[in-house]
Every structure is written in C-alpha cells, then in structure tokens.
Amino acid sequence: MNIVILSRNPNLYSTRRLIEEGENRGHLVEVIDPLKCDIIIEKEKPTIYYKDRYLDYVDAIIPRIGASVTFYGCAVVRQFEMMNVFTICTSDAIQRSRDKLRSLQRLSKAGIGMPKTVFTNYSRDVEEVIEHVGGVPVIIKLLEGTQGLGVVLAETKNAAESVLEAFNGLEARVIVQEFIKEAKGADIRALIVDGQVVGAMKRQGKEGEFRSNLHRGGSANIIKLNAEELKLAMNASRALKLPVCGVDMLQSARGPLLLEVNSTPGLEGIERATHKNIARAIITFIERNKN
Ligand code: ADP
C-alpha cells in the first residue's frame, strides 16, 4: 500500500514510528506536509498537487495535523476523502474534536461522565457561574488551549473573578469547570485504535502541579483500566467518530470523568510508558479497513 502521513515534521517520534512500522509491514510510507499541497477541485477528478506531482496513487492517509494548521490541514484531508482515499480519521471528526466546547456538548449527549462545565457569553455574573459548578475551587480553561497552557486553577472566588475578568477583557472564550480534587494532579490517557483501547497510562503532574501534561514536566506509568474507564474511553471515541484517538480522563469519587479527546495523539509517551507497539496497531488498522 501507499500510505501518506500528513505531517509537517518527519522527525517527530510519532511520525518516525509510523514510517518504521509501515515499512516493516511492506508498505511504502511517505511524509507529506499538508501546507505544501495544492487542492485541485473540478467536476469529476478532484486531486492534490504536491511539489511536482499529483497524489493520485495514495491508498491511505494518516493525518497528523497540528492545532495551528487545522483549517488548511483538514481541507487537504477532506480532499483525500473526495478521492476515496482511506483516512484513519475524517476531516469532520478532526475539526469537531478541536473545538473543546462542541466536543463536550456531543459527549454529554452520548451519556459520558465529565466534570460539570459552564460556558457563558462573557458573563459578568461570576458568582452565578461559580455556583453552577458547585463553588470554588474551579478550573478555568481557554477554549483554544493545548498542552495545559491556558488551564487555570482558581482556589478562591476573588481569584476566579480576576481570571474571568482578564480573559473576558481579552475576549478569550473560556469554560469554567468543577475542580476534581480527588484526581490529585493525575489523569489517564487511553490510546484507542480501531475503537478499542490498545494502551493506557497514568500521568502525574510534578510536585505541586495540578496539571499532569507531560509537556509541563509530568511523568507517565502504565495503568490497567477498570471496566468503567474502558467503557468511557471507547464510548468517547465512538461519540466523536474517532476510531484512532487519545482519550483523557480524571479518576474521581464518582467514577472516571472525561477531559478531552485528542485526534492526533502523540505516540512517544504512551509507547514508552506501556511498551506497546501502538504504531503497528495503527498500520494494521489501515490494512483491515482499506478495501
Ligand atoms: P489541555 O488540552 O491543554 O491539556 P486539559 O483540559 O487536558 O487541557 O487540562 C490539562 C490538565 O489539567 C489535565 O491533564 C488535568 O491534569 C488537569 N485538569 C484539567 N481539568 C481539570 C479538572 N476539572 N479538575 C482537575 N484537574 C483538571
């Protein structure tokens, strides 16, 4: 098969592992920068032009679209879909998952447990917003944040007020969320391939840090999920139509609670923590689905 990884950086761990496992299984694997693709739209023969050639020979794509290039990256993924090329995640699903609010709305409809969350149109009635999530402490999150940036823990009403005022002043959209204290600065990342959990790790934030992101200095260890956690992870993948994704959740007194679903999960942390060959699982998923 001709497999294309849509990525801006062929040297990233995840990209390198996917190339390695694809080649191990006898495929031709190429890394293409989606931003260097021209999309050619016409009546019957939609195509993509890259450097000096048409990408009309591709069997399957693995989108690894960074958050900052979602618009153009998804347009390229959509064009491959128009060309009947198999993709491990659709452009619609990627776009949906990039919008935290939209995802949470869909996930709550699918009956998935999550920290109580409020979204308002820059409401000045901070007290009421805080009451909705059960009082302080609260978590305030920028809708567009990634890697834990823009996630604030406000321990007092005054702090919450100041932070909300600051974000409102910048016209930055935020959600306010119940703080799950029992999580103790840890979260769980389940890696899903073909709708099934293929590996899971518990990430612990560094001392004194409530955010467990590895980018913020957290550490990760393999964990065996219980039945409830497995169910939540697989339901979240199904609800967002992302057969390959990373599902983040918190362990709370009332069971696992969903944090977010990532359509381009990094493979480094999870492969190192679990010693599982996740890249190969992604390649064999493509083999089973490409007709
Ligand atoms: P990002 O997408 O930027 O990583 P997250 O929503 O995943 O943002 O939050 C970053 C980290 O902050 C999480 O991994 C978790 O450890 C912590 N966190 C987020 N929301 C809550 C919450 N409601 N209660 C407790 N901890 C939280």
Side-chain angles (χ1 to χ4, degrees), residues 100 114-117 137-153 175-189 203-205 209-216 248-250 257-262:
K100 276 190 196 188
M114 58 186 66
K116 196 166 176 194
T117 303
V138 293
I139 294 277
I140 301 169
K141 278 184 207 182
L142 267 180
L143 273 187
E144 283 98 56
T146 55
Q147 304 181 345
L149 294 172
V151 181
V152 180
L153 168 62
I175 51 177
V176 179
Q177 211 165 54
E178 158 195 16
F179 175 56
I180 308 300
K181 194 163 156 242
E182 316 91 271
K184 298 195 190 87
D187 76 353
I188 293 177
R189 156 66 60 98
R203 298 177 294 200
Q204 180 72 54
E209 171 65 71
F210 75 95
R211 296 168 299 178
S212 50
N213 302 69
L214 299 183
H215 287 100
R216 311 251 73 73
D248 295 346
M249 54 190 135
L250 295 174
L257 301 175
L258 184 115
L259 269 185
E260 70 171 343
V261 181
N262 193 320

Side-chain angles (χ1 to χ4, degrees), residues 190-202:
L191 219 295
I192 308 261
V193 178
D194 206 358
Q196 306 294 318
V197 175
V198 292
M201 62 179 168
K202 187 165 181 168

Side-chain angles (χ1 to χ4, degrees), residues 99-101 104 117-123 126 129 138-145 149-152 160-177:
D99 184 332
K100 276 190 196 188
L101 180 65
L104 287 179
T117 303
V118 182
F119 179 62
T120 74
N121 191 31
Y122 309 118
S123 168
V126 175
V129 172
V138 293
I139 294 277
I140 301 169
K141 278 184 207 182
L142 267 180
L143 273 187
E144 283 98 56
L149 294 172
V151 181
V152 180
E161 244 164 36
S162 316
V163 173
L164 282 173
E165 272 168 20
F167 281 142
N168 285 351
L170 295 167
E171 292 191 15
R173 295 231 177 245
V174 295
I175 51 177
V176 179
Q177 211 165 54

